[in-house]
């Protein structure tokens, strides 16, 4: 977030400084609004194309983590496939295979495997003629 703010300030200084150097006094009040228009457009661009999608994705991930329940198939950020055996606060106990259970932080769970996800991940068979 700090990177975006710094980038925003840098872009604003690039846009505003040249206009201040060649500014001429004018009697019209609309010219000051015209000078702010690029700033407003850049802010709208940043919000629509950077901030809003990132917030939406974070909200979806938060909802995914809050809806975890026993017997859900998950994929961790490290690529570990497991089945949820228990959810205890911010820790999820996951069964990797028979007799092997691990504790995983909720935030490290990247996806829950659903039927649609499994079907999309299948490799189609090559039809021999």
């Amino acid at each position: 977030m700090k990177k975006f703010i710094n980038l925003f300030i840098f872009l604003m200084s690039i846009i505003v400084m040249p206009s201040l150097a060649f500014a001429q006094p004018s009697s019209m009040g609309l010219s000051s609004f015209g000078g702010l228009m690029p700033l407003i457009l850049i802010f709208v661009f940043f919000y629509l194309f950077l901030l809003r999608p990132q917030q939406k994705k974070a909200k979806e991930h938060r909802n995914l983590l809050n809806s975890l329940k026993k017997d859900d198939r998950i994929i961790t950020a490290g690529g570990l496939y497991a089945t949820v055996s228990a959810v205890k606060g911010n820790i999820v106990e996951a069964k990797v295979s028979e007799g092997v259970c691990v504790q995983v932080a909720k935030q490290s769970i990247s996806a829950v495997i659903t039927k649609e996800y499994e079907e999309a991940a299948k490799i189609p068979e090559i039809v021999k003629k």
Side-chain angles (χ1 to χ4, degrees):
M1 183 68 176
K2 190 174 182 180
K3 290 179 183 178
F4 290 121
I5 293 171
N6 290 338
L7 180 62
F8 182 75
I9 292 171
F10 176 72
L11 290 174
M12 293 305 115
S13 64
I14 290 174
I15 292 171
V16 173
M17 287 305 201
S19 65
L20 291 176
F22 298 107
Q24 296 176 358
S26 77
S27 59
M28 298 181 65
L30 293 177
S31 64
S32 63
F33 178 72
L36 289 177
M37 191 55 112
L39 299 175
I40 294 169
L41 291 175
I42 289 175
F43 178 75
V44 168
F45 173 81
F46 271 98
Y47 179 75
L48 291 177
F49 294 107
L50 295 176
L51 297 177
R52 190 168 176 229
Q54 187 177 22
Q55 290 172 347
K56 186 177 178 181
K57 188 175 180 180
K59 184 178 179 183
E60 288 174 1
H61 190 255
R62 198 175 324 115
N63 291 339
L64 173 94
L65 295 179
N66 290 333
S67 68
L68 279 177
K69 58 188 180 299
K70 188 176 178 179
D71 295 330
D72 280 348
R73 299 255 313 137
I74 59 170
I75 302 174
T76 65
L80 183 71
Y81 285 74
T83 304
V84 175
S85 13
V87 179
K88 299 176 183 175
N90 287 333
I91 297 174
V92 175
E93 287 186 12
K95 182 178 175 183
V96 179
S97 66
E98 282 301 316
V100 180
C101 287
V102 294
Q103 290 184 341
V104 179
K106 256 190 181 180
Q107 285 72 26
S108 69
I109 296 173
S110 60
V112 174
I113 302 172
T114 60
K115 296 278 187 197
E116 295 85 23
Y117 184 87
E118 285 180 354
E119 290 174 7
K122 285 184 183 176
I123 300 172
E125 294 182 26
I126 299 173
V127 180
K128 295 182 181 180
K129 292 185 179 180

